[in-house]
Amino acid sequence: MKTFHSKTASTLPGLVLLGLLLSGCNSSDNNASTSTPAQDQQEKVGANLGPRPQFLVNDMDEGPLKDKLAQCSKGPFYRTDFSIGHRGASMQFPEHTKEAYLAAIDAGAGIVECDVTFTADKQLVCRHSQCDLATTTNILGIPELAAKCRQPFSPADAANGVNASAECCTSDITLDEFKQLCGKMDGFNPKATTAETFMKGTPDWRTDLYASCGTLMTHAESIALFKEARVKMTPELKAASVPMPFDGFSQQDYAQKMIDEYQAAGVPAKNVYPQSFNLEDVQYWLANNTDFGRQAVYLDDRYDSDSSFNPNDMSQWQADMQRLKALGVEIIAPPLWVLVGLDDSGKIVPSAYALAAKEAGLKIITWSLERSGPLAQGGGWYYQSISGSINNDGDVYQLLDVLAKEIGVLGVFSDWPATVTYYANCMDI
């Protein structure tokens, strides 16, 4: 892998540049109420979807849904809040980079995500995890920065069954050092014996064509970019991988600083959907930043810590969803598989979890489409509850149809937002 120490400019794909021109020429200030993400477009901004949506439609099983979607192939297509850029457009561009964000905007995402963490000097930056730099950047190729990693690179030892490893955190380096890094596709080679080969681990269903040196972003820079493009913003306050408070920086300071940066940039609360897996963060925003708190998204990951978690057990969810609503939660966001299951005929249907959330009056967002591999190969983790019924990549639209029409989700995170943009435009969402 070629080592880059800094990046001051980038060459953007033609579609991204066209998307920026469209945003600049066709947009106007949006002062409409934004109580929900979807169906809140005062302006129509053109979107460039590329060939993937049509590829997926062509791959669908024959039936009314395929016929309906096929009729929309010529567009026109417009930006929609139903389409949320997950870490940008990270199927093809390094996540949380300027290039990924611009590609998501170009593909019609009306809302784009910056996952927020902090550096050693307590500056907010966009990274999916505080300690993912070894797999999402070229830090291991810059000796003076690699030396600061929490866990330096350790080569694989095949004879003893030991995989290669490294752990580098934003909290290990300053903001100035962070800005020297290049973003790369998330991945690593567990059999690597050198740091260079460790960094070469892109999944075969992604691409490195646009990953030579992705431009890393501070949280404030992402706000400025999204504001200029007139898209909404959904920052996720990531769990710290260091003990809190960190050098006097408390969890509450952290949650407040994220909101402060929107206020400093003059971004109205109606255009921001703060997220957290930590319910206490949502409650903090409700108590201290009420306008932002009302739009806060509680990311539900209890599937990961509760061995009794069963999305199809209604008795488990009715009282729980009512409890969350009583605490002030307005929007809940579980992963895709939690919201759906299969009936006796193998048809995709809403889960008890989804029905209980709707019954309690909670709004729902879900994540993340096109994240864990081709559906033709089972789809991976995100599709585990419906793996028995999916056998082609076009089945993604069967899932989207249930999420939109039977569950009524407000929006769908996707690693390639054009897929969701196409569906939303075709169905007039």
Side-chain angles (χ1 to χ4, degrees), residues 46-200:
N48 300 286
L49 305 191
R52 181 163 176 77
Q54 192 60 53
F55 163 78
L56 294 172
V57 172
N58 291 341
D59 197 43
M60 292 177 68
D61 296 332
E62 298 299 325
L65 180 59
K66 179 175 182 176
D67 293 343
K68 168 68 174 174
L69 292 172
Q71 292 173 3
C72 302
S73 62
K74 297 189 183 299
F77 302 108
Y78 300 100
R79 183 184 295 170
T80 168
D81 289 0
F82 190 74
S83 180
I84 307 173
H86 182 238
R87 315 183 198 182
S90 50
M91 178 184 278
Q92 286 194 311
F93 293 82
E95 62 187 46
H96 293 308
T97 62
K98 181 178 182 179
E99 293 77 16
Y101 292 150
L102 290 173
I105 293 165
D106 190 57
I111 306 174
V112 186
E113 177 187 49
C114 165
D115 289 330
V116 178
T117 188
F118 57 86
T119 59
D121 46 352
K122 295 174 280 190
Q123 300 302 303
L124 302 186
V125 296
C126 299
R127 285 290 90 198
H128 176 66
S129 166
Q130 190 164 52
C131 293
D132 71 3
L133 295 181
T135 63
T136 65
T137 76
N138 66 332
I139 190 170
L140 295 178
I142 306 176
E144 59 271 28
L145 298 184
K148 297 188 175 188
C149 289
R150 173 186 293 190
Q151 179 195 328
F153 171 72
S154 177
D157 181 353
N160 292 302
V162 177
N163 286 337
S165 62
E167 187 175 47
C168 306
C169 307
T170 58
S171 52
D172 295 335
I173 58 177
T174 66
L175 177 60
D176 286 345
E177 291 167 333
F178 174 83
K179 294 293 284 184
Q180 296 178 42
L181 302 176
C182 290
K184 74 174 190 69
M185 276 293 182
D186 187 14
F188 70 98
N189 177 4
K191 305 303 180 185
T193 56
T194 67
E196 182 177 7
T197 55
F198 178 86
M199 292 186 287
K200 296 178 179 178

Side-chain angles (χ1 to χ4, degrees), residues 84-85 96 101 111-117 124-127 219 222-223 226 232-238 255 258-259 261-262 267 269 271-277 285 292 295-297 299 413:
I84 307 173
H96 293 308
Y101 292 150
I111 306 174
V112 186
E113 177 187 49
C114 165
D115 289 330
V116 178
T117 188
L124 302 186
V125 296
C126 299
R127 285 290 90 198
H219 178 234
S222 78
I223 293 171
F226 301 156
K232 295 172 188 168
M233 313 168 197
T234 184
E236 180 189 336
L237 194 74
K238 302 302 296 190
M258 189 180 86
I259 300 301
E261 294 196 347
Y262 289 95
V267 177
N271 289 341
V272 183
Y273 297 87
Q275 310 170 67
S276 181
F277 282 104
W285 292 322
F292 288 90
Q295 301 213 140
V297 180
L299 298 163
F413 281 92

Side-chain angles (χ1 to χ4, degrees), residues 87-419:
R87 315 183 198 182
S90 50
M91 178 184 278
Q92 286 194 311
F93 293 82
E95 62 187 46
H96 293 308
T97 62
K98 181 178 182 179
E99 293 77 16
Y101 292 150
L102 290 173
I105 293 165
D106 190 57
I111 306 174
V112 186
E113 177 187 49
C114 165
D115 289 330
V116 178
T117 188
F118 57 86
T119 59
D121 46 352
K122 295 174 280 190
Q123 300 302 303
L124 302 186
V125 296
C126 299
R127 285 290 90 198
H128 176 66
S129 166
Q130 190 164 52
C131 293
D132 71 3
L133 295 181
T135 63
T136 65
T137 76
N138 66 332
I139 190 170
L140 295 178
I142 306 176
E144 59 271 28
L145 298 184
K148 297 188 175 188
C149 289
R150 173 186 293 190
Q151 179 195 328
F153 171 72
S154 177
D157 181 353
N160 292 302
V162 177
N163 286 337
S165 62
E167 187 175 47
C168 306
C169 307
T170 58
S171 52
D172 295 335
I173 58 177
T174 66
L175 177 60
D176 286 345
E177 291 167 333
F178 174 83
K179 294 293 284 184
Q180 296 178 42
L181 302 176
C182 290
K184 74 174 190 69
M185 276 293 182
D186 187 14
F188 70 98
N189 177 4
K191 305 303 180 185
T193 56
T194 67
E196 182 177 7
T197 55
F198 178 86
M199 292 186 287
K200 296 178 179 178
T202 302
D204 59 10
W205 43 274
R206 294 190 183 138
T207 178
D208 286 318
L209 286 173
Y210 308 108
S212 60
C213 186
T215 309
L216 300 195
M217 304 284 286
T218 67
H219 178 234
E221 288 171 339
S222 78
I223 293 171
L225 182 70
F226 301 156
K227 184 179 179 182
E228 181 179 7
R230 294 186 173 90
V231 294
K232 295 172 188 168
M233 313 168 197
T234 184
E236 180 189 336
L237 194 74
K238 302 302 296 190
S241 298
V242 292
M244 298 292 277
F246 175 74
D247 189 26
F249 189 52
S250 70
Q251 183 68 26
Q252 292 75 27
D253 294 335
Y254 180 27
Q256 185 60 52
K257 184 167 185 171
M258 189 180 86
I259 300 301
D260 288 346
E261 294 196 347
Y262 289 95
Q263 294 173 327
V267 177
K270 65 178 184 172
N271 289 341
V272 183
Y273 297 87
Q275 310 170 67
S276 181
F277 282 104
N278 182 0
L279 185 57
E280 291 181 359
D281 291 335
V282 175
Q283 293 176 292
Y284 174 85
W285 292 322
L286 282 165
N288 296 279
N289 304 273
T290 306
D291 289 347
F292 288 90
R294 289 195 190 104
Q295 301 213 140
V297 180
Y298 171 46
L299 298 163
D300 191 354
D301 67 346
R302 287 174 290 176
Y303 56 83
D304 204 27
S305 58
D306 184 353
S307 60
S308 66
F309 186 94
N310 179 1
N312 289 307
D313 179 4
M314 181 61 81
S315 65
Q316 185 177 142
W317 295 113
Q318 281 181 313
D320 182 79
M321 295 300 179
Q322 292 165 3
R323 175 186 67 86
L324 290 173
K325 183 71 173 177
L327 289 173
V329 175
E330 293 292 334
I331 307 173
I332 193 168
L336 296 167
W337 67 268
V338 170
L339 292 175
V340 291
L342 300 176
D343 67 12
D344 292 340
S345 68
K347 179 184 175 183
I348 301 173
V349 294
S351 68
Y353 177 107
L355 296 175
K358 288 181 64 178
E359 181 182 301
L362 292 169
K363 303 177 183 73
I364 305 170
I365 293 173
T366 190
W367 44 277
S368 295
L369 216 64
E370 300 173 293
R371 181 69 194 171
S372 60
L375 271 66
Q377 300 172 16
W381 186 85
Y382 287 94
Y383 307 92
Q384 59 187 277
S385 62
I386 58 172
S387 59
S389 75
I390 55 178
N391 55 30
N392 60 64
D393 290 328
D395 282 336
V396 70
Y397 279 128
Q398 298 288 350
L399 172 59
L400 265 178
D401 203 49
V402 173
L403 293 170
K405 293 180 179 176
E406 298 185 45
I407 299 175
V409 299
L410 298 180
V412 179
F413 281 92
S414 175
D415 279 27
W416 194 240
T419 299

